[in-house]
Amino acid sequence: MKLFKKKRYWVLGILAFLIGAVSYVIYQKTASDTHLALINFTDFQTANIIRAQEYYPVKVNKVEKNKILKTNLNKYDVIFIRMHGIKISAEAKQKILNLIKKGVEVHSVHTTNPDNDLTSLSVNQQKMVNNFFKFGGITNMKNLLAYVRTKIDTKLFFNPAYNKPKKFPLYGFFHLGEEKFFKDFSSYQEYYKANGFYKKNGPRVVIVTSNAGPQNIYTREQYDSIIKNLEKKGVNTYPVFGFAKRLENIQSVKPDLIIYTPHGGLAPGRRKKTIELLKKMNVPVLCPVNVFQLYKKWLLSQKGMTGGMNTQSILNPELEGGIEPYAISAYFYNDDKLKVFKPIKKRVDIFCKRVLRWITLRKKKNSKKKIAIYYYKGPGRSALVAGGLEVADSLLNFLINLKKNGYNIGKLPSSGKELYHLINKKAPVLGPYATKTFKKFIQNGDPALVPVNKYLEWVKKSIVYKRDSVFSRREWKKSNKNMYDQVIDEYGFAPGKYMRVKKNGVQNIAVARIRFGNVVILPQPLPGYGQETAKIIHGAESPPPHPYIASYLWVREGFKADALVHFGTHGSFEFLPWK
């Protein structure tokens, strides 16, 4: 009897196991989650798809292209491979072909090489998937996941309904909101006016996207932030996307200014026509950049952009007349630990203020404009230096031409030689060791005297004292000590050791300058202390001293220059520490 009971328990146990195993197999085949692998997709592309998951039983994972051989891809039901810019090895390619033979659904998108066009999908499935990716946007990504679950993985249960790809224009204009796309200027303008955005007397600014357009929420956030910021400031914005008819769409707006977040030239393959159009329009083209680094890492690095990104984001736009490569967005980690672009709010605001200044400058009469011109020369009676120029003669010619164009210049020297002597007398470069020369300079020159209290007020206005939110208090204190505190550590409290003048009981910092009406010319001060001037100028690791800072702050806050020119060659400004 006991033996019979034991056998019965064994049979029941085996039966339960078999039922469980069969149930598990049935569940896996009919109702389990669909596992989708994305190979060679960028973090922000992956994040855009994950954001569309909602309640769908589709689990999305990113696989790096260099980990194809090391990753167990058999666990995935469906694999999408982004073939744009990928060099896939023969071994990796064979592994993918073997997966197809085993029944894993595979499809390559954005394929540029026909040899890499790998797919197990039917013609109709290929068309659907390609169009979901082609038109993009959250709505299409949601329907893509539903389609993957229902029609590609073909589970029997928990299959959400899906719609066919929603077709958006591939070029034209866009505005705030996922589906605000317009094929041409007239339809955008009609929408813009009807919805109360248009300001009758407001300036017009075109905002041109790079190759990553507005369909991805993580690339368009920067454009939305610029649009909102400028519209609050009374600007009419005209965001343009896509490569087709890009120049024609820009021209149709008749803008006062163009913003382009570059990844190469403004209109690839049409550089000659681009330059001709920009010359004809004669408007500033500002090119703010995306930092392809984590914001925190970029902030702590002494380096700017390097390599291919430097070429695509700075060099190519400059060849077409683009200016202002000012960083406005960078990578931040999202909740899924993926690197996505986010706007750097305080930098976006600064950039948008500069947009307004450029527009104002274009409308301001030349006779009212104030210009500061920095020249570079060594200490004492050293020659003025510039790349291939006779600096004094060239600088005088520049001033003469400004006067011819209506700028308020006043009386000018009669020759380059006379200007050179005037510079040595009234606006030389002086170091802390030139005490006798400094006394003569104060007697014979016409320096701007900046009271120390006023200087400190300008410093406080210019320096960000608050801790950046990406840093903990400990990190901020250790790694990112306030830059002006570094100046004090190096040179002591203002006014410092030289270029200091006491007048009527008040300590001042003397700023060497020569003023010609609304134009002032200034020597770029020494960026540090020491006898090896060339070494100090070409890469001083220490912060600049008080007279250096005071000179630039006076130009902005005291003289209130509309524009600043570094004349002839580079000086020391580019080599200062930090950004």
Side-chain angles (χ1 to χ4, degrees):
M1 190 69 180
K2 289 182 178 180
L3 182 62
F4 174 76
K5 283 185 178 180
K6 285 183 179 180
K7 285 183 177 180
R8 187 173 65 178
Y9 290 145
W10 272 101
V11 169
L12 289 173
I14 293 170
L15 184 62
F17 173 78
L18 290 173
I19 291 171
V22 171
S23 298
Y24 178 77
V25 171
I26 293 172
Y27 171 76
Q28 287 294 321
K29 294 290 184 181
T30 64
S32 65
D33 289 341
T34 295
H35 292 275
L36 170 64
L38 301 176
I39 298 178
N40 194 40
F41 282 71
T42 64
D43 274 16
F44 63 80
Q45 289 170 329
T46 305
N48 200 46
I49 296 171
I50 289 175
R51 189 173 180 270
Q53 275 181 270
E54 288 190 340
Y55 58 85
Y56 297 159
V58 180
K59 303 302 179 187
V60 179
N61 291 100
K62 180 176 182 286
V63 177
E64 300 292 346
K65 63 182 179 182
N66 58 349
K67 293 183 179 179
I68 293 175
L69 293 174
K70 296 179 181 179
T71 304
N72 176 21
L73 297 176
N74 292 290
K75 65 182 180 179
Y76 293 105
D77 303 295
V78 181
I79 299 173
F80 290 147
I81 310 168
R82 178 176 171 266
M83 287 295 186
H84 178 77
I86 187 174
K87 289 183 178 179
I88 189 166
S89 67
E91 294 85 355
K93 189 173 181 179
Q94 188 58 53
K95 181 177 180 177
I96 293 165
L97 292 172
N98 291 338
L99 288 169
I100 294 174
K101 289 179 181 178
K102 291 178 181 179
V104 178
E105 299 291 357
V106 175
H107 182 60
S108 56
V109 297
H110 305 154
T111 306
T112 53
N113 182 352
D115 292 337
N116 290 336
D117 194 6
L118 308 176
T119 187
S120 64
L121 303 186
S122 68
V123 173
N124 186 56
Q125 288 175 330
Q126 291 178 49
K127 184 179 179 181
M128 289 285 282
V129 171
N130 289 342
N131 279 336
F132 281 128
F133 280 111
K134 178 180 179 180
F135 296 107
I138 289 296
T139 299
N140 278 328
M141 291 303 101
K142 288 178 180 178
N143 284 311
L144 169 67
L145 295 180
Y147 184 78
V148 165
R149 170 72 178 185
T150 305
K151 293 295 183 180
I152 298 178
D153 191 24
T154 61
K155 295 288 197 303
L156 294 178
F157 302 105
F158 311 119
N159 291 337
Y162 70 90
N163 293 315
K164 290 182 179 181
K166 187 163 186 176
K167 295 184 178 181
F168 298 113
L170 296 178
Y171 60 89
F173 295 81
F174 71 97
H175 200 246
L176 304 172
E178 184 195 346
E179 299 181 5
K180 296 293 189 296
F181 296 101
F182 308 88
K183 64 179 181 179
D184 53 32
F185 170 73
S186 59
S187 58
Y188 178 84
Q189 187 76 332
E190 183 181 345
Y191 152 83
Y192 204 65
K193 287 183 176 180
N195 287 273
F197 295 109
Y198 184 72
K199 297 94 181 169
K200 187 176 180 180
N201 297 315
R204 296 184 177 193
V205 171
V206 166
I207 303 166
V208 186
T209 68
S210 65
N211 59 339
Q215 288 89 342
N216 187 306
I217 189 65
Y218 292 107
T219 55
R220 77 165 291 159
E221 195 175 345
Q222 59 185 302
Y223 303 117
D224 287 351
S225 66
I226 294 173
I227 292 167
K228 291 174 183 177
N229 196 302
L230 288 178
E231 288 183 346
K232 281 182 181 178
K233 291 176 169 63
V235 175
N236 294 309
T237 63
Y238 296 85
V240 171
F241 73 102
F243 293 109
K245 295 189 177 180
R246 175 176 282 186
L247 296 181
E248 293 80 0
N249 284 331
I250 292 171
Q251 191 173 14
S252 67
V253 176
K254 297 179 181 177
D256 297 287
L257 182 140
I258 298 168
I259 297 171
Y260 171 47
T261 52
H263 189 73
L266 183 60
R270 304 172 71 189
R271 173 159 286 171
K272 185 178 179 181
K273 191 167 184 179
T274 299
I275 293 172
E276 287 174 357
L277 177 62
L278 293 178
K279 282 182 177 180
K280 181 181 177 181
M281 295 174 73
N282 192 30
V283 297
V285 181
L286 275 54
C287 297
V289 295
N290 303 314
V291 177
F292 287 78
Q293 269 184 300
L294 285 167
Y295 175 59
K296 186 175 179 179
K297 185 177 180 181
W298 173 76
L299 206 61
L300 290 175
S301 172
Q302 294 278 14
K303 291 184 178 180
M305 282 194 170
T306 57
M309 286 303 164
N310 188 24
T311 302
Q312 294 289 71
S313 299
I314 299 174
L315 178 59
N316 274 322
E318 282 186 356
L319 293 174
E320 297 173 351
I323 56 175
E324 300 253 0
Y326 185 76
I328 59 167
S329 75
Y331 280 145
F332 293 80
Y333 280 123
N334 70 358
D335 293 338
D336 297 300
K337 298 299 179 184
L338 294 170
K339 292 183 288 186
V340 297
F341 280 119
K342 285 188 176 293
I344 307 166
K345 292 181 180 179
K346 59 188 177 185
R347 295 184 72 88
V348 169
D349 189 56
I350 290 171
F351 174 76
C352 289
K353 286 175 181 175
R354 293 190 64 78
V355 169
L356 287 184
R357 289 185 186 125
W358 275 105
I359 292 171
T360 301
L361 189 61
R362 291 192 74 228
K363 295 179 179 179
K364 197 171 188 177
K365 290 182 178 179
N366 286 350
S367 61
K368 301 292 184 182
K369 292 175 184 175
K370 288 186 172 183
I371 301 178
I373 305 170
Y374 276 96
Y375 52 85
Y376 169 73
K377 73 183 294 295
R381 302 188 69 81
S382 298
L384 283 79
V385 180
L389 295 177
E390 291 289 343
V391 183
D393 291 306
S394 299
L395 182 53
L396 180 60
N397 285 340
F398 183 40
L399 294 171
I400 290 170
N401 273 283
L402 286 174
K403 191 169 187 176
K404 287 178 180 178
N405 282 278
Y407 287 82
N408 180 2
I409 299 294
K411 187 178 180 181
L412 289 171
S414 59
S415 66
K417 187 176 181 180
E418 187 180 333
L419 177 61
Y420 177 71
H421 286 307
L422 189 64
I423 285 171
N424 276 322
K425 180 180 179 182
K426 290 193 170 185
V429 174
L430 300 172
Y433 46 82
T435 51
K436 290 183 179 179
T437 308
F438 179 69
K439 288 179 181 178
K440 291 181 180 179
F441 158 69
I442 293 298
Q443 292 171 356
N444 301 325
D446 181 29
L449 300 182
V450 180
V452 169
N453 286 342
K454 178 60 69 175
Y455 165 72
L456 294 175
E457 180 185 315
W458 292 344
V459 167
K460 190 172 183 179
K461 181 179 175 182
S462 304
I463 300 295
V464 178
Y465 281 92
K466 292 182 180 178
R467 174 174 59 90
D468 196 292
S469 59
V470 296
F471 294 97
S472 67
R473 294 183 183 278
R474 186 177 180 181
E475 287 174 325
W476 183 256
K477 188 175 181 181
K478 182 181 178 181
S479 306
N480 205 51
K481 188 176 182 181
N482 177 271
M483 291 182 187
Y484 187 66
D485 289 341
Q486 295 176 26
V487 174
I488 294 172
D489 289 347
E490 187 76 22
Y491 306 105
F493 291 100
K497 296 179 181 179
Y498 74 109
M499 297 298 281
R500 57 189 292 173
V501 180
K502 193 170 185 178
K503 187 175 181 180
N504 299 326
V506 177
Q507 285 284 5
N508 299 271
I509 301 174
V511 175
R513 54 90 194 258
I514 302 173
R515 186 160 181 173
F516 299 106
N518 282 344
V519 176
V520 64
I521 65 172
L522 313 91
Q524 188 173 61
L526 289 174
Y529 291 171
Q531 298 294 327
E532 296 182 67
T533 306
K535 188 175 180 180
I536 292 170
I537 289 168
H538 293 86
E541 294 181 1
S542 57
H546 297 291
Y548 193 103
I549 299 168
S551 178
Y552 280 95
L553 288 179
W554 176 81
V555 163
R556 186 173 68 193
E557 304 289 348
F559 180 63
K560 297 190 181 301
D562 293 296
L564 185 153
V565 178
H566 285 107
F567 190 80
T569 186
H570 72 76
S572 58
F573 190 82
E574 298 90 333
F575 299 103
L576 292 177
W578 301 105
K579 295 177 174 62

